[in-house]
């Protein structure tokens, strides 16, 4: 198995007739999916998604792929193919289109409707190419064939990319539910046909590669949801992904059967379900939906609320309810249903929300105590099935953390893919398909680009480090008035602290030390402001560390006279 190496340098020039693949996100992480294909000087992009921040990235709203690799080649992009409408596959499209608004965006009907609604908020009018399964479209030198796949959102697609270098099958996110709620099966016959034609490289969803067997059918969840709503004595609040149309449909069906009205809460939830309803993917009986502003007028036993926040996102509706920071007030006897899987890394945030809801008297039903969610990603048995159907010459696991990628690679080896034809890459690693062989040939920059409010890319890792220090240790400011001619103090230092946990009266101990080092500095003829700032920071920092075993941010403020 070939794998990335920290010493990888820039890739060589792409050989004539070869295909280059560079993942700018989605490898070694769950989210930020984006793969760039290059052939004969032209580019094709598959997916362009975001990653949601974790606790060690305070203040960050979204994390984008780094577009530097393609920024000076935007005119060479033929199209962006979106495999489905989840945020980790479409969320970064508005930021890419800011760089070149006329890049054709390709996807299924629902995916295109969701991205168009998103782009409207960014005041961007996209160039759309709507496709359906079993169609073939050419984008420059890339001949693309689309296949239906079953996922946790309708209208998901896999794509086979044909070039003279060979056939690449990119599965997108998929599972093999044999009884899907929308009746749309993964096109295994199409995959088998491609396998007979000859798949030169398979790029396949790895999220559940460690999970044995096959995923549970979506239909097995509906009776559990129905039972939760039937037995609830007061309000039912269901938290789900804003794009999980199948799950919302199940909740709406159960609410209708038990005579409850439904209110949608959260801007993305309202937007996405409106799009799904208008396109016929969501069936809502007349009179069932009520405005969330009117919900308090209905008896609690007649109400179901569907909101966002199943991952513990701090600004989502459910988190705000748990914190008593929402118009909807959790009351004794309410039932809260977390109808989604737990994204890795969100465990602490979700547990905090569950505890907050329980504190106010709610009964919380989640995947840990009831079968209220099934994964949208194929388990190991299904991944083996696809590997055996397609019989790829080369294999590259995608969409997953390191443990998922390696587990999927082992599955490929079990089906007969030679070890030296299995490529385990990470973001930025360059893979070339040359003469039927896929090999790692170099690496390009593919770091995180942070979105903080309206700022894109301005927040750096250094800024996040400062935020973490401020959040964990607080800060101390020292105001020094210095005679710029001599470097001597012109007034006594002042020290102020916030969030450091240090008693202000104790600063009387360190002020003489600061005065001494500044006096010594002045005696040595040091008048440079930066040097003065450094010795002050060092002196105060040493005292805080020795006295409190803490490392707050120390900010010397020098006033020159």
């Amino acid at each position: 198995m070939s794998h990335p190496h920290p010493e990888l340098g820039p890739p060589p020039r792409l050989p004539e007739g070869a295909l280059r693949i560079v993942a700018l996100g989605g490898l070694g992480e769950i989210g930020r999916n984006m793969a760039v294909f290059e052939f004969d000087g032209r580019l094709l992009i598959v997916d362009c998604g975001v990653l949601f921040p974790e606790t060690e990235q305070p203040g960050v709203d979204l994390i984008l792929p780094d577009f530097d690799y393609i920024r000076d080649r935007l005119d060479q992009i033929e199209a962006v193919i979106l495999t489905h409408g989840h945020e980790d596959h479409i969320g970064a499209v508005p930021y890419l289109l800011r760089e070149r608004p006329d890049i054709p965006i390709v996807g299924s009907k629902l995916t295109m409707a969701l991205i168009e609604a998103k782009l409207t908020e960014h005041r961007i009018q996209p160039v759309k190419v709507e496709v359906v399964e079993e169609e073939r479209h050419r984008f420059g030198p890339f001949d693309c064939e689309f296949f239906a796949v079953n996922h946790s959102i309708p209208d998901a697609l896999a794509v086979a990319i044909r070039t003279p270098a060979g056939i690449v099958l990119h599965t997108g996110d998929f599972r093999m539910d044999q009884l899907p709620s929308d009746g749309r099966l993964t096109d295994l016959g199409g995959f088998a046909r491609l396998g007979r034609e000859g798949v030169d490289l398979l790029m396949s969803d790895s999220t559940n590669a460690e999970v044995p067997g096959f995923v549970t059918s979506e239909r097995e969840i509906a009776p559990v949801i129905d039972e939760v709503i039937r037995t609830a004595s007061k309000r039912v609040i269901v938290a789900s992904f804003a794009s999980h149309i199948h799950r919302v449909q199940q909740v709406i069906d159960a609410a209708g059967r038990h005579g409850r009205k439904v209110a949608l809460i959260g801007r993305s939830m309202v937007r996405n379900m409106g799009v799904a309803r208008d396109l016929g993917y969501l069936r809502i009986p007349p009179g069932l939906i009520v405005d969330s502003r009117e919900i308090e007028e209905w008896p609690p036993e007649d109400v179901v609320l569907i909101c966002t926040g199943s991952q513990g996102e701090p600004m989502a509706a459910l988190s705000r309810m748990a914190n008593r920071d929402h118009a909807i007030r959790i009351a004794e006897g309410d039932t809260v249903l977390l109808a989604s899987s737990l994204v890795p890394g969100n465990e602490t945030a979700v547990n905090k929300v569950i505890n907050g809801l329980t504190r106010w008297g709610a009964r919380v039903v989640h995947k840990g105590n009831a079968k209220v969610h099934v994964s949208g990603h194929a388990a190991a048995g299904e991944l083996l099935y696809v590997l055996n159907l397609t019989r790829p010459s080369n294999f590259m696991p995608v969409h997953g953390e390191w443990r998922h990628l390696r587990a999927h690679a082992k599955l490929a080896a079990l089906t007969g893919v030679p070890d030296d034809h299995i490529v385990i890459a990470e973001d930025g690693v360059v893979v070339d398909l040359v003469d039927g062989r896929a090999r790692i040939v170099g690496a390009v920059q593919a770091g995180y680009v942070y979105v903080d409010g309206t700022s894109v890319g301005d927040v750096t890792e250094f800024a996040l480090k400062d935020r973490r220090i401020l959040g964990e240790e607080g800060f101390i400011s020292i105001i020094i008035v210095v005679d710029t001619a001599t470097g001597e103090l012109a007034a006594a230092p002042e020290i102020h602290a916030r969030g450091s946990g240090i008693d202000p009266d104790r600063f009387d101990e360190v002020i003489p030390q600061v005065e001494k080092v500044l006096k010594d500095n002045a005696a040595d003829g040091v008048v440079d402001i930066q040097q003065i700032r450094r010795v002050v920071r060092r002196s105060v920092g040493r005292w805080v560390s020795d006295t409190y075993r803490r490392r707050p941010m120390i900010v010397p403020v020098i006033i020159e006279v």
Side-chain angles (χ1 to χ4, degrees):
M1 298 179 189
S2 69
H3 55 82
H5 190 278
E7 302 302 322
L8 283 173
R13 184 173 179 176
L14 182 62
E16 185 175 351
L19 177 70
R20 174 162 290 173
I21 303 108
V22 181
L24 297 183
L27 300 185
E29 62 192 1
I30 303 291
R32 216 171 56 116
N33 297 283
M34 183 176 181
V36 180
F37 296 82
E38 178 182 354
F39 184 85
D40 195 22
R42 306 302 293 175
L43 305 178
L44 180 74
I45 296 173
V46 174
D47 290 327
C48 187
V50 296
L51 181 68
F52 293 101
E54 297 182 358
T55 53
E56 63 267 23
Q57 293 150 339
V60 173
D61 299 317
L62 297 171
I63 304 171
L64 308 178
D66 188 342
F67 299 145
D68 274 358
Y69 172 63
I70 58 172
R71 186 160 277 122
D72 60 351
R73 306 175 65 191
L74 294 170
D75 60 322
Q76 299 174 6
I77 300 174
E78 296 288 350
V80 176
I81 294 174
L82 303 176
T83 58
H84 62 283
H86 281 152
E87 284 294 305
D88 60 333
H89 292 258
I90 70 171
V93 170
Y95 301 93
L96 179 61
L97 294 189
R98 288 182 187 181
E99 313 251 351
R100 183 190 148 196
D102 65 342
I103 300 175
I105 307 298
V106 183
S108 63
K109 180 191 289 187
L110 178 62
T111 304
M112 296 310 296
L114 292 174
I115 192 62
E116 187 171 22
K118 176 180 290 293
L119 290 172
T120 298
E121 296 181 359
H122 289 259
R123 296 180 174 85
I124 297 174
Q125 184 62 43
V127 176
K128 299 185 299 180
V129 180
E130 189 177 302
V131 298
V132 298
E133 57 263 30
E134 301 181 19
E135 282 187 351
R136 285 176 73 162
H137 292 257
R138 178 171 286 276
F139 305 100
F142 305 97
D143 179 8
C144 300
E145 182 178 3
F146 298 93
F147 300 85
V149 292
N150 180 253
H151 187 41
S152 54
I153 187 172
D155 253 9
L157 295 169
V159 58
I161 303 168
R162 291 179 172 87
T163 66
I167 298 175
V168 177
L169 174 59
H170 192 303
T171 67
D173 291 357
F174 81 100
R175 63 184 174 192
M176 286 167 49
D177 189 343
Q178 297 303 295
L179 294 171
S181 55
D182 61 358
R184 189 170 179 270
L185 297 164
T186 293
D187 187 1
L188 300 178
F191 286 179
R193 173 174 53 78
L194 268 186
R196 290 191 296 273
E197 187 176 342
V199 173
D200 295 281
L201 176 63
L202 173 64
M203 301 171 66
S204 183
D205 176 9
S206 306
T207 310
N208 275 346
E210 294 181 303
V211 179
F214 286 62
V215 296
T216 304
S217 173
E218 190 75 40
R219 292 197 182 187
E220 293 190 24
I221 304 304
V224 182
I225 292 175
D226 187 273
E227 181 68 10
V228 169
I229 293 176
R230 184 186 69 81
T231 57
S233 58
K234 291 188 178 179
R235 284 182 306 190
V236 177
I237 300 167
V238 181
S240 175
F241 290 119
S243 56
H244 203 330
I245 296 167
H246 298 317
R247 187 71 70 249
V248 171
Q249 183 69 68
Q250 291 172 327
V251 174
I252 286 173
D253 291 345
R257 279 192 295 271
H258 299 292
R260 290 180 179 248
K261 298 292 184 181
V262 174
L264 302 176
I265 299 173
R267 185 167 55 91
S268 56
M269 179 69 73
V270 172
R271 181 190 66 200
N272 288 357
M273 294 311 131
V275 168
R277 180 194 58 217
D278 293 344
L279 296 179
Y281 293 95
L282 188 66
R283 302 174 305 281
I284 304 175
L288 185 70
I289 298 289
V290 297
D291 193 295
S292 60
R293 290 169 294 188
E294 304 171 7
I295 206 67
E296 296 295 340
E297 300 173 9
W298 292 85
E301 64 272 14
D302 293 340
V303 169
V304 172
L305 312 179
I306 305 177
C307 68
T308 55
S310 61
Q311 299 304 304
E313 306 95 314
M315 295 308 295
L318 193 66
S319 295
R320 292 171 57 206
M321 292 178 199
N323 294 330
R324 277 287 202 261
D325 184 31
H326 196 279
I328 304 297
R329 310 285 282 185
I330 298 295
E332 188 78 33
D334 284 347
T335 298
V336 178
L337 173 61
L338 301 182
S340 65
S341 60
L342 189 58
V343 174
N346 291 347
E347 294 87 353
T348 300
V350 171
N351 287 331
K352 183 178 178 181
V353 170
I354 291 173
N355 279 320
L357 296 167
T358 306
R359 175 187 179 189
W360 306 118
R363 169 196 175 213
V364 183
V365 181
H366 53 86
K367 191 179 179 183
N369 57 26
K371 188 181 286 188
V372 291
H373 181 74
V374 295
S375 176
H377 302 271
E382 297 159 82
L383 298 177
L384 285 168
Y385 204 103
V386 169
L387 282 159
N388 284 324
L389 280 178
T390 56
R391 288 291 174 188
S393 302
N394 300 274
F395 177 68
M396 179 175 169
V398 296
H399 196 292
E401 298 176 347
W402 272 104
R403 58 197 177 100
H404 307 130
L405 302 181
R406 290 203 176 276
H408 203 174
K410 290 179 180 178
L411 295 178
L414 289 174
T415 65
V417 181
D419 280 354
D420 59 350
H421 288 239
I422 297 173
V423 176
I424 305 178
E426 62 184 330
D427 295 343
V429 168
V430 180
V431 178
D432 283 357
L433 183 62
V434 184
D435 298 328
R437 281 290 304 276
R439 292 184 176 90
I440 289 173
V441 297
V444 301
Q445 179 177 319
Y448 284 178
V449 175
Y450 298 108
V451 178
D452 184 354
T454 59
S455 164
V456 179
D458 294 335
V459 176
T460 64
E461 292 294 343
F462 293 109
L464 289 180
K465 181 180 179 182
D466 286 348
R467 289 181 182 183
R468 287 192 290 270
I469 292 172
L470 286 168
E472 295 168 4
E473 302 285 352
F475 80 96
I476 296 173
S477 63
I478 311 102
I479 301 172
I480 307 290
V481 183
V482 175
D483 184 329
T484 54
T486 64
E488 295 180 348
L489 277 171
E494 291 184 22
I495 302 182
H496 304 275
R498 291 288 186 275
S500 65
I502 297 174
D503 183 354
D505 293 338
R506 296 291 301 274
F507 289 134
D508 292 341
E509 301 173 15
V510 74
I511 286 176
Q513 299 178 31
V514 174
E515 292 175 330
K516 182 179 185 305
V517 296
L518 288 175
K519 183 178 179 180
D520 293 344
N521 243 31
D524 292 338
V526 176
V527 295
D528 179 69
I529 296 300
Q530 294 303 323
Q531 176 67 12
I532 293 172
R533 187 175 282 117
R534 280 194 290 272
V535 298
V536 169
R537 183 184 293 115
R538 192 179 303 123
S539 177
V540 176
R542 188 182 303 116
W543 176 80
V544 172
S545 178
D546 291 345
T547 308
Y548 289 94
R549 297 292 185 267
R550 302 200 67 182
R551 299 184 66 183
M553 180 175 289
I554 298 173
V555 183
V557 179
I558 310 298
I559 300 174
E560 303 174 53
V561 295

